[in-house]
Amino acid sequence: LTMAILMQVLDASQMASMDANGPAALHWLVDAQNIAFADRNKYMGDPDFVDVPIAGLNNGTYARLRRDELMRPSQGVPVPVAYGYPEGAARRRAEDSAAPDTSKKSGTTHFSIADVHGNVVSWTTTIEENLGAAVVVPGRGFLLNNELTDFDAIPLFPDGSASPNRVQGGKMARRTAVGADAATEGGKRPRSSMSPTLVLRNVNGTKVPFMALGSPGGSKIIGTVTNVLVKRIIHGLSLVDATDAPRVIARNLPELLVEEPLASDLRFRAAMSAMGMEPPGEWGERPMGYVQSVELTPDGDVIAVADTVRLDSAGAMAY
């Protein structure tokens, strides 16, 4: 849902002619990430426990209103960005919507698969930290995760309203489940940043698979996948070039994450600084995410790309 907000906030027609790795395009990309994270942090939690205004958030008109209200060509949106009021949301304002999750996690993996029939799978799985909870299920041989750390440690916003991602005890009906599972109950699930993504294209009125992609990376996953999507779909780079390109990630925090070689480009830094986007501290963030992706061409070929720039042991294969 956060990626859907983000992609709709971006003005593809305006960005298409920009340099994919230039300050103008990356300025828009940073702003859109911050705006999307503001709403994510305010409204998103386990929909079995909290009422998430999904239709209001995933709405092109709302996205355009947020863009027109906040984004300016020559100035970055100041952070933290305040959340908006999508249809279906209660009108009560907190002081800010800064993201609480800044941890660096390494227990997540992703793979993308396409078969000869045109079926695609985008699969992200996690046990959170390395070795998860460090508990192996007896007789089964797999580790339990420690995903509970993805709950918000502080249950209330500054105005006293409750975080949708706070810890809550008890069980609730699985109203988001389908079939017989809808009659079951379960405990609250923490909000996740995992973003296994499928992209469809229109062929004679029928939507068919075009891309499958995703990445590990904790709260950086959303920005990581979006960087590749924007460069491939809006700027028209090849999937290889879109994957290899340096990434800029924002999470509605003062911290702006910039990969090399952009981080050392003095002209880029100066241009971003002029727009109020010079972050505190040093740039040169370690590689962010390992995007693994497949693309199905109109000719029926499959392009598989591994993120070897950031993980030299990554691989893509066909058989």
Side-chain angles (χ1 to χ4, degrees), residues 52-121:
V52 182
I54 295 175
L57 290 168
N58 188 21
N59 182 285
T61 299
Y62 173 70
R64 286 191 294 274
L65 288 172
R66 292 283 279 165
R67 180 174 66 228
D68 294 344
E69 174 192 5
L70 296 168
M71 295 172 70
R72 299 291 180 268
S74 60
Q75 185 67 34
V77 179
V79 293
V81 179
Y83 57 82
Y85 294 109
E87 184 176 351
R91 295 190 65 85
R92 183 180 184 185
R93 181 167 293 283
E95 292 179 18
D96 61 63
S97 299
D101 179 7
T102 59
S103 58
K104 297 179 179 179
K105 302 166 184 175
S106 52
T108 306
T109 190
H110 177 86
F111 57 83
S112 299
I113 298 174
D115 67 14
V116 295
H117 305 292
N119 300 306
V120 294
V121 172

Side-chain angles (χ1 to χ4, degrees), residues 61-227:
T61 299
Y62 173 70
R64 286 191 294 274
L65 288 172
R66 292 283 279 165
R67 180 174 66 228
D68 294 344
E69 174 192 5
L70 296 168
M71 295 172 70
R72 299 291 180 268
S74 60
Q75 185 67 34
V77 179
V79 293
V81 179
Y83 57 82
Y85 294 109
E87 184 176 351
R91 295 190 65 85
R92 183 180 184 185
R93 181 167 293 283
E95 292 179 18
D96 61 63
S97 299
D101 179 7
T102 59
S103 58
K104 297 179 179 179
K105 302 166 184 175
S106 52
T108 306
T109 190
H110 177 86
F111 57 83
S112 299
I113 298 174
D115 67 14
V116 295
H117 305 292
N119 300 306
V120 294
V121 172
S122 181
W123 183 291
T124 311
T125 183
T126 189
I127 56 173
E128 191 75 357
E129 303 290 350
N130 280 336
L131 302 181
V135 176
V136 177
V137 178
R140 301 296 180 182
F142 63 88
L143 288 159
L144 296 179
N145 69 51
N146 63 339
E147 195 70 19
L148 293 178
T149 60
D150 272 3
F151 280 117
D152 288 355
I154 301 174
L156 300 177
F157 289 123
D159 70 345
S161 61
S163 165
N165 192 44
R166 67 192 183 279
V167 175
Q168 289 177 265
K171 294 183 178 181
M172 297 286 285
R174 286 287 182 226
R175 60 183 179 179
T176 55
V178 296
D181 290 340
T184 63
E185 293 183 341
K188 190 174 185 180
R189 297 162 292 184
R191 182 176 60 206
S192 174
S193 299
M194 292 189 293
S195 305
T197 301
L198 298 178
V199 181
L200 308 180
R201 58 187 174 92
N202 194 314
V203 177
N204 299 322
T206 301
K207 293 181 178 179
V208 300
F210 170 57
M211 289 175 61
L213 70 162
S215 174
S219 62
K220 300 174 189 173
I221 291 175
I222 295 167
T224 295
V225 175
T226 301
N227 269 255

Side-chain angles (χ1 to χ4, degrees), residues 36-48:
F37 262 84
D39 282 350
R40 172 185 187 263
N41 298 328
K42 174 59 182 175
Y43 296 114
M44 296 185 202
D46 185 344
D48 291 338

